Amino acid sequence: MVVVCWSVRAAGAPGLPELVRKPYLELVAMAASLDVPKKAIDDYRKQLEQQKKEDIDGLEAEKKSLKSQEDDAHRQLDELNRSASVDDKDMAGKRTSLHCKLWQADRDLRETKTERSISIPVEYDHKLTKLEIVAQWPAKKREVDAAVAGGKGRARKWGDVDDIGFRKVGEGQENDIKLGEEAINELRAYRLLPPESDSKALHEYVQVLGDRVAASSDLKVPLRVQVLDTAEINAFGLPGGRLLVTVGLIVRSASEAELAGVLTHEIAHIAARHGEKLSRPTGSVSRMLLQGVTMAADAFTGGALGTARNAARDVLGLGVHLNLNLLGVNRETEAEAGQLSTQYLWHAGYDPRGFMLFYDKMAGEEDHRVTSSFFRTHPPSVDRAMVSLAELEYLPKKARLRTDSVRFRNMHAVAEAWLKTHKRAESVAPAECGTGN
Ligand SMILES: [Zn+2]
């Protein structure tokens, strides 16, 4: 192995800013041979944390300014209302222009809040995670190689990969079916669930693919797939075997292995009963969903629950309404789902890098509005990255891996055709404000 000594780094060898922009899989392929001094890592970490703080402060200032613009418009409306009982032509014109100003400020405020609460933290968290990979991967790789060579490859947690389907992952899954059903019913009752796709072929395909990978997993309950007509890119696993998949996700998947990767990730959450474990202290599904709605209203419409319907049309869509506890998402469970899903993909004969390939693509997307829903429910973390990437090293190599299929190509085309006629939901400007741009 060629070890690149940091101090005498050859001209053209990547520096840390370049390394943290590389896709995870590419970075890990080269990280084992890097030898970056601890001080360089520590200094760059501090720099990134400082930049993150500055960016967030900047967005806070922007939020303040937008809020004061709104206050100002409201003051002017008050003045209009006090000055006469009925508008004359000038007043009516002024009122319309103030309404448009308010509409625009509200839209900008929501975008700024999404940037502040998700996009910018996520962007820096990816960089900080990749910096930790540079720091920790050489030792991790040595540890994995030594364990495998020493006959201890299966001694890691959930290392019993030849017993998938027969091991004690998430015992009692059948007890979660009611919780998942309740969640779906409540989402419908609150009108938060996008409509189901009316393409039978698409639904059948995702159900068959889900069943195929589920058969190679530790899932013990029947999987019930719903394909949702939304451009949002995401999939949600609810307790008891409910799996919601968006048309946007199918379009964004470049291969069947990538789509299967995201499905196995959700199946892993369901199998390991992460949603049930994390939502147990909260109690009722209604309470959890209401928290989600209130949070969405607060984060994206300035605090008024009455405008939650607008938030439902927001770029985050379903991703913001679902309570992360119900989805079983926290740092620890994400790492476990990362490991288990890599194993399930491998066991099903797919390229086990499927999820990471998709994740890398999302992390590299420059338009944050497209990825904020996905990263709200799949937040980056060092544990997730290290465990998933190490699992790829532990798993015995298979000669022939499934990556794609004709069926996937056909269904991808169906999903793409739907998306072409249904652009991403944007809040529509009131007619009198034109396009609002
Ligand atoms: Zn997850």
Side-chain angles (χ1 to χ4, degrees), residues 190-192 293 297 301 304-314 321:
Y190 288 116
R191 300 182 63 188
L192 295 175
V293 175
T301 60
L305 186 57
T307 48
R309 285 285 300 285
N310 291 333
R313 295 198 313 249
D314 199 276
H321 294 295

Side-chain angles (χ1 to χ4, degrees), residues 234-249:
N234 220 335
F236 311 90
L238 288 164
R242 299 301 295 254
L243 180 60
L244 307 173
V245 177
T246 69
V247 173
L249 174 77

Side-chain angles (χ1 to χ4, degrees), residues 210-227:
D211 283 342
R212 183 189 298 149
V213 285
S216 293
S217 79
D218 295 297
L219 192 75
K220 305 274 170 42
V221 289
L223 191 69
R224 229 177 114 189
V225 173
Q226 267 174 285
V227 179

Side-chain angles (χ1 to χ4, degrees), residues 40 99 109 208 236 240 295 324 397 421:
H99 285 174
L109 196 55
V208 167
F236 311 90
M295 198 280 280
L324 291 182
K397 302 285 170 281
T421 51

Side-chain angles (χ1 to χ4, degrees), residues 10 24 41 98 115 172 192 201 208 231 243 323 377 392 402:
Y24 284 96
I41 304 247
L98 285 168
E115 283 266 294
L192 295 175
V208 167
L243 180 60
N323 183 293
T377 56
L392 289 171
R402 203 198 287 251

